[in-house]
Structures are given as structure tokens and as C-alpha cells.
Amino acid sequence: MVKHDVKDITLAKKGKLRIEWAAQEMPVLKIITERFRKEKPLKGFRLSACLHVTTETANLMETLQAGGAEVTLCASNPLSTQDDVAASLVKNSKIPVFAIKGEDNKTYYRHINDVLSSKPHMTMDDGADIVSTLHKTKKDLLKNIIGGTEETTTGVIRLRAMADKGVLKYPIIAVNDAYTKYLFDNRYGTGQSTIDGIMRATNRLISGSVFVVSGYGWCGKGIAMRAKGMGAKVIVTEANPLRALEATMDGFEVMPVKDASRIGDIFVTATGDVSVISKECFAVMKDGAILCNSGHFNVEIATDDLKKMSKKRRIIRDFVEEYSLKNRRRIYLLGDGRLINLAAAEGHPSSVMDMSFANQALCAEYMAKNFKKLEKKVYSVPDYIDKMIAFLKLKAMGIKIDSLTADQKKYLESWELGT
Ligand code: ADE
């Protein structure tokens, strides 16, 4: 058996079946896998991935392996691992996996170090924890690394900050910023999976509730859209005037989070920033308010302050912790303030992860072919990759589109022609 640290290897059989189920909705990744199997574009490269260990990630790992990469995998969040998937990757795919759902912070970082012990040439991150660990505590490994990719908005922000400060030591491709990633994964993926997580954790009716979404980026837009579709009265809170205006014109009520705190039933954060829901908010919330987070890190809800304001805490059902405040009201925190869609549900559906992970696979191939030309910067996904994935996804969905005529192309390229 390859090296690993998973919860229970006997879960492998169940994991294998669920990985197969996800594969049915990942046709673009399948096409890439078949080509990779023949061409082996990643042969000779060791790749360490720090991603949510889900059925979709398992399919990506198998694609990279088919391409010839030697892959190791750890979790990108302590609560997002699907233990049966981790077991199957070890047992059936012979991939070293270090991930256990519910691991503490110490184990989480030990697992990152476990994957780094393979001395990778490439990294694949979701949140930039591998890159930051390498730059902080494993500098000796940086010399082997040709490049990496980053899956999520928060990770891209961290990496751009590193590049701006001149400390980033190898090129990164910002997968998050591809159209075929954020327009679908961040919006429709987060929209559906966040509501799914809230429903699985609470079994509460969304319809008729006052549903507060903090942050109107692509994730917040998706959550607000889906909550509205389920009959909630949706309030958006934002600090960015452009996004606040957009939310207003999309038909949502917009107000400061402290005002929303008095009237909300369910609160979801998706801002990427700290202490968005703070002690001033907890102090005025209604009895029974439900709070959760869909941003990458568990920093958006000031849980330490919530603890200090409470006289009693208990887990009332899976992923639901009841905080009894000194003002006699109760507040319910879901999934410990971690990504609710992955903590209490299964993350985004396979069909959107198909495009996100097609980007990951093709960017790993691009990096393997082009690393000598790249600088220590954060790069966009090449446009041809983005367009190719859209084309393949439409084809897989059986959707045909128009092609421009020669006249239309000429018109678009000209400046002389007007009315
Ligand atoms: N991020 C959000 N949903 C995911 C999923 N299903 N697999 C991997 N990463 C994800």
C-alpha cells in the first residue's frame, strides 16, 4: 500500500462507486484523461495537490495520474474530506493521500508536510496553503518547483499579494480566474451547494425566511440567486459600492450587516474577509438565528467573540452548534464556521467541477510545457484553454451554436464601418 493517513481504508469500496458516479457528469475531464493516457504530458513530474478531497477531486487525481504525474494529495480544509474517497484513492488508485474529515489544525499542517515530503515539481492548491507552507517553512524544496496552480478566489488574492511583494518564488496559474471556472463553479456551484449544506445541516424551510448574504462576488451572487429562487426574502450586505449597486439592481435589498443582523433568520458569509459578522451583530440577532460561512477560511464569523458572549454551548445535531447567549437568545453556528457546502454537504456538483478541474489538468500540462518561459508571477489561464473547455462542455451537453460568417468576422475587425 502507498503511504497514507486516511480515516478508514475499508471505506474504499463505497468511495470507488461514488467516484464513478461523479465521473458520469465530468465528460470534459474524461476527454482530457483519454488524451493524457496516450500522450503522458506530465511524465516525470511529481505533483502535490492540496484540494478538497471529494469525488470530483478523485477524478482529477486520476486524470493527472493518467498523464504520467506522480501525485500526492492532502486536504485543503480540515472539514471537507470525504473519507471514503480518500480510502479509495489510496487503495484503488495507489495515490498517497493524507486527509481525514475533522482533523485538527496540527494534523492538517502535518498532512501538508506529508505531501511535500514527495519533493514536488508542481503544486495544485485550493487556498494557497501549500504555497505558503513552502515559502514559510520548506524553502529548501522551492528549488525543485517549476510552477503551480490555484483553484480559488482567496488563494489567488494571497498569491497576488506574494507576487506584489516580490516574495513568490515560482509561477502560478490562477485557475479561479478562467471564465469556465468562476462563472459556473463560483456562481452556480456555490449557489447550489451552499443551500444544500444549510438544508442538510438544519432541515429548515428556506421559503419565507429572511436570508442574509454577505458579499456579492460570484459566490455571493449564486447564493443570493438560489435563496431567492427558493422563496427567501434575500438581503445582501456589501462593502464594495459597485457590487452593492449591482445587488440593488438585481432586485435585492441592500443594507449594512449590523442592520441586517436584527432581522435575518439565516446568514451566509462569502466575502473572503475577516469578522464580517462580529460581536455587534451577535448582540442584536433574533433568537434562533442561523449562521454559516461559504468563504474559503473560517474567519468571516467572529466565533471567538461568539464563544465569549455565550454562557453555554452544545452540539444539537450534526454540524449545528447552539450558542446560548447571556442575553438569553440562541444562535446556531453551522459547520464550525467552515465552508458549509463541503462541511455539511458534498461541495459543488460534478458538472461544474468538470470545468474547474479541466482547467486544472490543462494548466498543469501547460506548466509542464512552458515553465521555462514563465516568470515568478501569477498568470491567467490561457484564453485558448478557457474557450476549448467551453466548447467541449457545450458539445458534451449536445448544444450547438452559430459560427460567425466571413462578413461578420470582417465587420468585427474593422473600424471604418459604421451605420
Ligand atoms: N470546491 C467546491 N466544491 C468542490 C468539489 N465538489 N470538489 C472539490 N473542490 C470543491
Side-chain angles (χ1 to χ4, degrees), residues 385-414:
I385 291 185
D386 213 355
K387 292 220 172 83
M388 190 200 316
I389 292 170
F391 173 81
L392 291 172
K393 190 72 178 174
L394 282 168
K395 194 162 171 226
M397 294 169 87
I399 296 168
K400 295 198 178 92
I401 60 169
D402 296 320
S403 312
L404 297 180
T405 62
D407 275 354
Q408 286 173 328
K409 276 192 200 148
K410 193 169 153 212
Y411 182 83
L412 290 178
E413 282 158 14
S414 73

Side-chain angles (χ1 to χ4, degrees), residues 24 45 97 128 152 214 234 243 250 306 309 387 390 408-409:
Q24 292 178 19
F45 289 101
V97 179
T152 200
S214 290
V234 179
R243 288 183 175 165
D250 283 347
L306 184 57
M309 291 167 75
K387 292 220 172 83
Q408 286 173 328
K409 276 192 200 148

Side-chain angles (χ1 to χ4, degrees), residues 51-58 76 80 82 126 151-152 181 185 189-190 193 339 341-342 346-350 352-353 357:
L51 300 170
H52 301 300
V53 181
T54 64
T55 53
E56 292 75 25
T57 298
S76 56
S80 63
Q82 298 171 6
D126 186 334
E151 169 77 9
T152 200
K181 201 282 183 177
D185 169 318
T190 310
S193 62
L339 285 159
N341 59 340
L342 283 139
E346 292 169 69
H348 305 347
S350 317
V352 286
M353 294 315 293
F357 285 168

Side-chain angles (χ1 to χ4, degrees), residues 27-38:
V28 179
L29 199 61
K30 184 168 178 221
I31 293 169
I32 297 168
T33 308
E34 280 160 9
R35 179 172 65 76
F36 272 21
R37 197 162 281 131
K38 286 188 216 120

